[in-house]
Structure formats: structure tokens, C-alpha cells
Amino acid sequence: MTVTIVGSQLGDEGKGGVVDLYGDAADVVARYQGGDNAGHTVVHDGETYKLSLVPSGAVRGKVGVLGNGCVVNPRTLFDEIETLREKGLDPDVRVAERAHVILPFHRVLDGIEEDVKSESDQEVGTTGRGIGPTYEDKAGRRGVRIRDLLDPDVLRDRLEYVVPQKRALVEDVYGVDVSDLEDPEAFDVDALHEEFGEFGRRLAEEDMTVNASAFLSDAIDDGRNVMLEGAQGTIIDIDHGNYPYVTSSNPTAGGAAVGTGLSPGVVGDGEIVGIVKAYLSRVGSGPLPTELGGVPGDTPGYDEEGDGPEEEIATYIRDEGGEYGTVTGRPRRVGWLDMPMLRHSTRVNGFTGLAINHVDVLSGLDEVKVGYAYELDGEELETMPSTTEEWGRCEAKLRTFDGWPDVDWSEVAEEGYEAIPENARTYLEYVSDELDVPIYAVGVGPGREETVVLEDPY
Ligand code: GDP
Ligand code: IMO
Ligand code: MG
């Protein structure tokens, strides 16, 4: 059977940890979308693993598959495999022949487009990994797929078609001289052919490429358990998220079928676990009705750091939850849990269970609030409107819960659900009742043993 792990909010809900928790019973862990824009954390035996591309199951020796819906930067792939090997692991990673390749010019274009957009305050705040430009080329039928890397003639044909277009775009539309770029070889067909042809030889030598659909279907037919690991989250899904402040793929459950070649029936017969952070965090721009305080540069209309009680709570949550960019150290935007967002997410994904993480982070606050509805133009909304402009005008209506104390969370995890402070249980049960989805797990700390497990989906 399959268990699909989906981010219910804006990414960084703790998906990696849940994949690690439930992945033990899985034989194969496959990612179905996104690329090295993800950052999934697995804490195991005191060691912290940060994975951006390799499926999180690799930490426990599961076969990892990058499905056809992924965009793969081979530089990152081999670097990450190397880093895991240095830590004493032996990751077994397979890559779909149909997955698309992120080429160096995609990253350059990602950066240029963000710069241009920022002149009119329209930047998305992307991870700069070239994700959007690669999916654009996929949809534009000019992309390079993983299988193309293994055939030097095909690779040359593809590059000879696409590279001059990209060079013209950079030089003629954006007015950037390619020779001034940090990596001018990003636009050089011969250099790309040599480097990426070499990646192709390596993929073939190490027998890493697969027909993902056949590989995963065979595993299911053999009675093996497959975990489908979503990256990002529902509200940054290109179709169901907060367009244009989104990533360029479908993190939602439907993407798990399209992005692996398993049929919707197979995915739907399995379990779909929604990963919920007990508050919100957001990287990048776009509205956030339950936001606490703000982050200059990211929060719309918020140009200078403020102070006041909201700002104090925001800093508390940020510090307790470690909500600072792993690379830049920049504070992330934070807010109260948003129920209209979660209702939308539950409908789109069809969650069969919830894992609610970071309950420990909120401990110590006198009060914990939840946005239970929005008010827009005098009307009360239970779920999110479809446009960013309307969402930006929504006022969150807040419900207040009594806070819960900081306790020994490892002990709580050991003792089970009843050991969670009563006020926290009231909060959790409110969320589960409102969404009509049972709670499968409660995260009370970053480690696997800091999780209260109520249900194992396998
Ligand atoms: P992902 O992208 O959804 O896999 O999540 P990230 O790994 O980017 O971010 C989640 C962060 O929170 C990581 O540092 C995790 O180790 C940590 N984390 C996960 N669950 C919990 C939890 O229940 N409590 C606390 N305090 N931290 C958690
Ligand atoms: P994980 O899997 C949080 C955000 C970026 C930006 C938008 C588009 O760790 O939850 P992109 O580079 O994808 O074109 O950026 O999406 N974003 C994420 N935010 N967690 C992620 O992944 C994200 N991946 C992309 O910040 O706003
Ligand atoms: Mg992350």
C-alpha cells in the first residue's frame, strides 16, 4: 500500500520527521514533485540530516526514488549522496527517466527574474534553485529529461535548441551580458554537454535510472509498502495555493499520482497524511491573515521592524521553533494556526489522518490563538478565497485557547496521548473535530522519539 505525506500549509511543517517516523514500515520512499528547493530534516541518533533532494527514507536505508514529477539538479544529487556516504550511510537512490533536469541556466534565470520582479515589489522569494524556470521548460516542451543525459546525441540536440533561446532571453530581454555572469558556462552548449553527459554516464554506471511508474507499481504488486513524500505544502501548490506566491509544482495529493506514475486509485486506496504545524511559518512573500508582527522585506507593506505584544509573541515562537532560515539565518514569518487554510487543504488533499507537529513550541504562552474564520467585505468565510488579492484583504477572526505549560516532552512522548497537557489536547481536538480528520501523531520535539503516535498508517 501507499502512504502519502503532504504538507498542509506553507512548507516546513515537519514532513521529513514524519517520513522518518512512519517510513520504517516502508520499503521504498519516493518523492513526486519539487527539487532541491525542499529542506527536510531527519534527526536520528543525535545526528541531524538536512535533505534537499534525496528522499528522507534514505537515512534509514530505504530505496529512494525521485519520481517523474521531480526536477533534478544532478550536481545537488551527487553532492548529497556523497555527504550521506561521508556520514556512513549507503543511500540507494533511483531517478525517473522522465524527471526533468535543472540546468545551470535555470538557476541564473530564477535569480534574474526575481531581481526584475523586485523592482516592482512582485518577487516571490524563491529558493533560487531554478525550480520555476525548469518547470517552465517542461511545460514548454523544451526541457531536458534525465534519460536524455544518457544519450549524447539526444542531449546535444536538446541543448542546441534550448540554450540559444535562454541566452537571447538573458541578453536581449533582460539586458544582462552572459560573459559578466558568475557562471558564463551556464550558457555554453559544449560545456553543458560535457558536464551533464558525464552525469548521464554516472547515472548509467550506477544503474540509477528507472521507469518510476513500472518500478513503483511492481513494488506495490509485490506487496511492498511505498511512501510518497511530498515536498513544500498545499498553500504553495501552483494550482491550489496562493498564486503567484507559489512553487511551480503540485505538492497536493493529486500530484502524488501524476508525479510517480502510480494510478490515482492506488494512491487513493492508501492513506494520505496531512502534516500540520501547530502555528504557521512562511518563507517569502504573500499574504498571511493570522501573521504575528512581520518580517521587513517579506511581509507585504511592512517595511520596518515593529515592536509591541504581537512582535513579542512572534519572537517567542520564532526562537522556540528555530524559525530562522537555515542558510541565510533570516527570520521566517510566523502566525497563528489558520483554519480556513486547513479546511481548504483538507478538501483538496482528502487527508485520512493528521500529524500535528511543534506542539511543544507553543508551550509557555498564556494564550494560544487560532484563526477560525475570515471576514471579507462584511462576510464570514470558512475557507480561503481563490485570489491572492482577496486573501490579502481577509481579516482573521481569532478564537483564544488557554496556553499549556512547558513539560518534559520526551516523557510525554513515552507515556502517550493522555500525558499531553490538557489544554494542548483541547487545542488538538478542536483542530481534528473541525477538519473531521483523526490525529495520527503529535510532534512534541524534533526527534523521532519526541512524537506521540496514535495510529500507524501501514
Ligand atoms: P519539512 O520541510 O516539512 O520536512 O520540515 P523542515 O525540516 O524544513 O522543518 C521542520 C523543523 O522543525 C526541523 O528542524 C525539524 O527537526 C523540526 N521539528 C519537526 N517536528 C517538530 C516538533 O514537533 N517540535 C519541534 N520543536 N521541532 C520539530
Ligand atoms: P519544504 O519541502 C517552505 C517557497 C519559497 C518561495 C516559493 C517558490 O522544505 O517544505 P521555489 O524556489 O520553489 O520556486 O520558491 O516557495 N518554498 C518553500 N517554503 N518550504 C519549502 O520546502 C519550500 N520550497 C519552496 O520560499 O516562497
Ligand atoms: Mg523544509
Side-chain angles (χ1 to χ4, degrees), residues 11-16 37-41 50-51 232 332:
D12 299 334
E13 300 93 345
K15 297 175 291 293
N37 49 346
H40 295 179
T41 315
K50 291 258 173 209
L51 298 163
Q232 288 81 51
R332 293 189 186 136

Side-chain angles (χ1 to χ4, degrees), residues 177-328:
D177 191 339
V178 162
S179 57
D180 290 342
L181 291 170
E182 211 173 291
D183 182 12
E185 294 205 334
F187 294 84
D188 181 317
V189 171
D190 289 334
L192 292 173
H193 190 263
E194 190 178 324
E195 182 185 357
F196 285 78
E198 182 52 37
F199 285 133
R201 278 189 289 281
R202 193 160 165 197
L203 287 166
E205 234 168 66
E206 300 187 21
D207 202 17
M208 286 172 71
T209 61
V210 290
N211 175 330
S213 175
F215 186 85
L216 295 170
S217 299
D218 288 351
I220 299 275
D221 291 344
D222 290 346
R224 297 204 284 158
N225 285 331
V226 174
M227 177 158 272
L228 303 173
E229 174 181 355
Q232 288 81 51
T234 301
I235 309 305
I236 51 176
D237 179 288
I238 188 150
D239 284 278
H240 303 290
N242 165 220
Y243 193 88
Y245 302 104
V246 292
T247 191
S248 301
S249 67
N250 291 117
T252 43
V258 177
T260 57
L262 286 172
S263 78
V266 169
V267 175
D269 271 348
E271 296 254 10
I272 296 168
V273 182
I275 315 306
V276 180
K277 190 178 260 193
Y279 53 93
L280 293 184
S281 66
R282 178 162 204 166
V283 184
S285 198
L288 202 58
T290 58
E291 183 159 17
L292 286 158
V295 173
D298 287 339
T299 304
Y302 192 90
D303 301 324
E304 270 172 63
E305 212 161 295
D307 49 21
E310 271 213 348
E311 224 47 77
E312 224 170 86
I313 299 173
T315 305
Y316 183 86
I317 295 176
R318 221 172 258 137
D319 289 349
E320 295 294 311
E323 299 294 352
Y324 293 89
T326 36
V327 182
T328 56

